[in-house]
Amino acid sequence: MSFGPHLFLAVLEGLVTSAVLALTALGLSLVFGVMRVVNVAHGEFFMLGAVSAWFISTALGGHPAIGFVAALIISPLLVGALALLSERLVLRRLNYNPEATIVATIGMLYIIQQAALTFYGPEARPVEPPFNLRVLFPWFGYSGYKLSIIVASILLMLGTWFVLTRTRIGLIMRATQFDSETAQAFGIPVDRVYAGVFALGAMLAAIAAVLIVPIQQAHYLMGLDPLLMSFIVVIIGGLGSLRGTVVAAVLVGLSDGIISVFFSPTLAKMLATLLVAMVLVFRPQGLFGERQR
Amino acid sequence: MTGNRTNKGLLDKSITRRTALTGLGAAAGLGLAPGFVRYSQAQSSAPIKIGFQAHRTGIGAAYGRWYEKTTNAAVKAINDAGGITGRPVEIIIEDDGTDPKRGAEVVAKFASQHKTDIVFGTLFSHVVIGSAPAAGEMKIPYYVVSEGHHVASTKLNRYCFQPGITDVKSQVIATAPWIAANAGRKVTMIFPDFAFGHDHRDYLPPALKAEGAEVIAQIAIPPTESSFTKYFPQIPAETEVIYHVMVGPAVLTFVKELGEFYGSNRPQLFGFLDSLEAVDINSPGLEFLDGSHFWEGSPRYAQSDDTDAQKAYRKAVGIDDNGAAAGDPKDVSTASHMFGCWETLYVVKKAMEDAGYKGPEDRAKLVEATEALTEFAEGPEHPQGKKLFNGKIHQCFGRQNISKVSGGKLVVVHRTAIEDGMYEPEGDYTTQAL
């Protein structure tokens, strides 16, 4: 294949990666930004989204689109509810202590993963895409569904941006993030905001997973990769910064796509890690993050 | 013999009174000695313990689950027929997590904690290679149902055996002539970037070259990869055949993306069924596979010429004519590999009986008895087919199946001869000390 089409394919692949990564990383970034909790179990919420999408789409017969749309609505709600429960039962009782919550979320990671193994099983199972469209370029065919992921992700990111910057809920979240003590003094129920943000973060991961499961399959170990990549994105972009997360996700996703097409996927991961190291050395708050006060 | 002679003597009344009394006294004395009685009973009725190193978790879990089902079915059949040397067989399972480090720990655990007689079972080549040194150190026979060339290459140790399934080198040598003659002569290979894939990488090109075909590109894919489209531009345009072999949870994604990339306008495809083990060939997006070919160890779909032994085996392990779990058409088996568990357990049975195996103190005898085996006849114990066994390299050789995807099923179109997969041994385990 000549260089032009080759690069085009690489960019497409990179954009799909970026789209899913941006959503997943945004959840992680929000949780850290507002709550100062490093959620190591974030990847498992992603996995739960995919696994529950399989259960939902299998339970509903008929056209694959019915199961998929149902999964897109129900999966995030289920995962959000579980996140809410674990926030109430675990994180709140630890007073959101940064060290304690890291250990607690590691524990949650294992519990969720083993529960998935027990109740769902070790198989990788496919969810049918809502539509099967093969977009035919002159040089190769490409999945139309993959292209639709990019569109869906952009819409969801815009929605999140709107909620965060233009609504009262967003204002309360930003106030809590800015200074939780003062926010509390002004009557903002910080505790409930935390619970909501944790659930929202998990729901974003679950939505990303439902979008990706028709192209990747649900598997109980699938949470690790998105977790690591999200950490990379969040560190590069700056914790808690929506703009930083999107830019970093596009950067990491595209470089992953292009470098792994032309060189090797291992090199892509190495360069991403190197970028993280460089950011930590020269701009510890991330490309778009604000310096801690 | 002695018993017979004594009986004869008693009948003939030619035995002297003194001899008879001495004999009776000695027998009574031995019988009354409590330690001896208990010992002899333990010898005759205690179960033979087989440590089963299973991929219950990790990327090999789908295989592990079916390996477990097959093993349980084989053990039930063996026990129903009187066990091994009259003793029942007991399976003790430990999860190796499809992880080499954990695999070695499991072998040590079987040897020192569970005190099993042997270790059996695992599949993924990196786990076998990681666990083999532990088996050698513990001097516990280790019967693997893997596929890699690691055992036959004699790079492991004298305690490692692969008597129930053929190795990759043998498989590719046997199938290369068919590929060159029927699929095409310019071959691009796609394989996982670890031991098992490297066997394909190393042994297919010379085998194809001998048939006048050539490998024009080799694409190695990291075993944890979950997306594959980005590799496909590396496939040269002049490729006539794509030879693919993938393993792990992402296999369905791999073939689906291959389909999206090429559509119906694709080169010929020759795959190892590893690329589709435990995956329904009628999954949406796989329609493009119609007309392509796969290697199968044991056919997933029931064939018109199945032997009675094959039918009985399929019934025992609980798979229907489509190779899915009886009663659950979505639960597709790993039929191409799991027969190896069934056959290996029967090899263990034969070797233990030949060795007069009584307990862990006879492990060296068991190794020698296994090495002395040469041939396994096709039948209920070896439903996949006849096999030849080379005791020097601890590896069996058997027939391979090449199947065509047609009408949403895999139909066997060619069976290789055992000789097609034979090669010169690369070493000799029997020269190693026990």
Side-chain angles (χ1 to χ4, degrees), chain A residues 44-97:
Chain A
E44 302 318 305
F45 290 130
F46 180 90
M47 178 271 290
L48 276 183
V51 165
S52 55
W54 181 83
F55 276 115
I56 293 162
S57 64
T58 322
L60 294 168
H63 193 274
I66 300 172
F68 180 81
V69 173
L72 204 54
I73 298 165
I74 302 171
S75 283
L77 291 177
L78 285 177
V79 174
L82 184 81
L84 201 65
L85 189 72
S86 50
E87 198 274 347
R88 294 285 89 168
L89 289 178
V90 182
L91 300 185
R92 187 162 80 150
R93 283 161 205 276
L94 299 170
N95 291 323
Y96 310 104
N97 172 302

Side-chain angles (χ1 to χ4, degrees), chain B residues 55-73:
Chain B
H55 299 327
R56 268 192 172 160
T57 55
I59 57 168
Y63 286 90
R65 201 165 62 79
W66 280 97
Y67 267 40
E68 214 172 306
K69 279 192 182 189
T70 310
T71 298
N72 289 336

Side-chain angles (χ1 to χ4, degrees), chain A residues 162-249:
Chain A
F162 183 80
V163 170
L164 281 180
T165 56
R166 295 283 184 274
T167 65
R168 198 178 146 70
I169 301 172
L171 184 70
I172 290 173
M173 272 167 65
R174 280 182 293 138
T176 315
Q177 171 171 6
F178 193 72
D179 187 337
S180 59
E181 276 179 32
T182 314
Q184 188 136 31
F186 275 85
I188 290 176
V190 169
D191 187 52
R192 268 192 277 160
V193 174
Y194 278 5
V197 166
F198 196 71
L200 181 66
M203 286 166 78
L204 281 169
I207 294 173
V210 177
L211 288 176
I212 207 165
V213 75
I215 58 173
Q216 260 198 13
Q217 308 177 64
H219 186 244
Y220 81 104
L221 292 177
M222 71 190 294
L224 187 64
D225 221 27
L227 177 72
L228 290 177
M229 292 302 277
S230 305
F231 269 124
I232 288 177
V233 165
V234 167
I235 292 171
I236 294 174
L239 280 162
S241 158
L242 176 63
R243 192 168 45 135
T245 305
V246 175
V247 172

